[in-house]
Amino acid sequence: MSAARIVRTRLTWLTYAQLSVYGFFLYGFGPSVPLQRDDLHLSSAIGGLHGTALATGSTIAGFAFARVSGRLGRAATLRVGLLGLAVGTAVYCLVPVLPATLAGALLCGLFGTFVVTGSVVVLSTAHGSAGPAAVTEANAGAVGVGLVTPLLLGAGESLGIGWRPGLLLPAVAAVAVWVVSVREKRRLDVATDAQVATAVGVAPDEPGPLPSAYWLVWTIVLCCIAVEFCLTFWAADGLRDRAGASPAAATAGVTAVVGGMFIGRVAGGRIALRYAPSTLLLVSVGVALVGFLGFWLSTAPVPAMAGLVVVGIGISVQYPLGTVLAVAASGGRPDRAAGGLSIAAGLASGIAPFVLGALADRAGVHTAFLLVPGLLAAALIGVLLSRRPQTTAP
């Protein structure tokens, strides 16, 4: 297949920066939850409500995005998302009482999802056939930046200043990128490129329901996101239970998954220029299955972590490619399509880790992890069905 070409404009780099701000926050939020729980003297169950609040905010954003974007335009919706993310992070960090921290987490999920969803639609619309590569590349940047945040939280704890300054840095970054976005607004408002103007402006979706082809892709993305959150939530327990890893080494298992995702997205951005998104998605599910088997069957920490790296490489491109396929299958309804995927993300992140935990209570973590290949198998079947030729009415 001939390679598409991605032309990185000022709009491209700005959108990359906006998505990276959310990655900067997101990959620090997870490690901050147990630290917040300790500071507020909460039980594990109550502390875990912060993750539920984040997922709830993401789900609300999924219902609201198309309406907000249709009224304000995509560029303005992204700017609202940046400011809201900054406010939510500040509330979560600086008001140490449970109702406020839960409210802050919900605001971060709501407005952060505006940033994610808007970025996907803008890049897909502005870059055409190179959209899959642009979205994958943007997500690679977000993961790369996100790898820094846990280190900042840990450094703050070691220095005695606490974890909060490290997580407040994404809020500062959100405000800084918002300032740049406002300065770029005039140039984008008078853009002569019709494709760019459509990408950032008000472009109402076509009327009518989303087609069945979209809902098939939606289900695939739901399964893929569920796998990612099951691993990031429970990989450490799996390493301790089966591979005999120490608590410190087991915690590093999460870094193995995220590191694999970074590698996969950096490479995936290039590969997506040459191959169809559905083909890459099919391969990625297979890679994730192979990596999971390496993790699940290993009885020593090193090979188990190597398996997690491979899993990370496999799942790395699934969300970016899934979003591109969903927008393409939306029948001219990109904002509603992207918003629907935010609902899928909220459901997957809120339900899948809980289900795996419930199974672990009954059958043990090792057995409970069989949920992951089940989800990957469902995604694999969905991708195969989506690749079948479809007859559409004229």
Side-chain angles (χ1 to χ4, degrees), residues 18-390:
Q18 290 167 329
L19 189 59
S20 293
V21 165
Y22 186 63
F24 196 12
F25 159 79
L26 182 63
Y27 289 100
F29 176 79
S32 79
V33 170
L35 299 171
Q36 182 79 276
R37 183 187 66 207
D38 292 343
D39 288 349
L40 300 181
H41 307 291
L42 305 173
S43 67
S44 296
I46 298 300
L49 290 176
H50 290 96
T52 304
L54 189 78
T56 301
S58 178
T59 304
I60 295 171
F63 285 107
F65 176 79
R67 185 168 298 180
V68 174
S69 177
R71 183 178 296 273
L72 300 180
R74 293 170 188 144
T77 303
L78 276 164
R79 288 193 292 272
V80 169
L82 288 170
L83 284 183
L85 178 62
V87 171
T89 305
V91 172
Y92 175 75
C93 292
L94 300 179
V95 189
V97 293
L98 181 61
T101 56
L102 290 176
L106 188 143
L107 289 174
C108 289
L110 172 63
F111 290 105
T113 300
F114 277 4
V115 175
V116 175
T117 307
S119 298
V120 167
V121 178
V122 167
L123 291 172
S124 298
T125 307
H127 288 280
S129 61
V135 173
T136 304
E137 197 170 75
N139 278 272
V143 173
V145 172
L147 287 171
V148 177
T149 327
L151 301 177
L152 293 174
L153 268 62
E157 288 288 292
S158 299
L159 294 172
I161 62 174
W163 57 271
R164 288 179 171 82
L167 195 60
L168 284 170
L169 283 176
V172 175
V175 174
V177 174
W178 174 82
V179 170
V180 174
S181 179
V182 170
R183 293 181 63 181
E184 287 289 299
K185 178 180 183 296
R186 291 183 180 179
R187 192 189 70 83
L188 294 176
D189 283 344
V190 298
T192 56
D193 187 326
Q195 194 170 20
V196 171
T198 300
V200 301
V202 177
D205 285 353
E206 293 290 332
L210 288 161
S212 58
Y214 165 80
W215 290 111
L216 178 58
V217 178
W218 185 92
T219 304
I220 295 168
V221 174
L222 175 73
C223 293
C224 293
I225 295 173
V227 169
E228 178 181 342
F229 276 89
C230 282
L231 287 168
T232 53
F233 270 69
W234 290 100
D237 291 80
L239 287 168
R240 288 198 301 266
D241 181 71
R242 175 73 173 181
S246 67
T251 302
V254 180
T255 306
V257 177
V258 178
M261 291 174 64
F262 176 66
I263 295 169
R265 285 179 178 171
V266 170
R270 298 274 184 176
I271 298 171
L273 291 170
R274 301 189 62 88
Y275 298 97
S278 60
T279 300
L280 291 180
L281 190 56
L282 191 65
V283 172
S284 76
V285 174
V287 171
L289 275 170
V290 171
F292 174 79
L293 288 176
F295 159 70
W296 194 73
L297 295 174
S298 295
T299 55
V302 173
M305 288 189 185
L308 288 175
V309 171
V310 176
V311 175
I313 293 172
I315 65 176
S316 64
V317 296
Q318 290 173 356
Y319 177 74
L321 294 176
T323 56
V324 171
L325 287 172
V327 169
S330 67
R333 305 168 183 90
D335 291 326
R336 286 166 58 196
L341 292 181
S342 298
I343 298 171
L347 293 174
S349 62
I351 295 175
F354 173 79
V355 171
L356 196 151
L359 292 173
D361 287 340
R362 291 178 174 271
V365 172
H366 185 65
T367 302
F369 259 118
L370 290 175
L371 175 66
V372 169
L375 290 167
L376 288 171
L380 183 65
I381 293 170
V383 176
L384 291 173
L385 290 174
S386 72
R387 288 166 60 87
R388 294 173 59 187
Q390 299 193 15

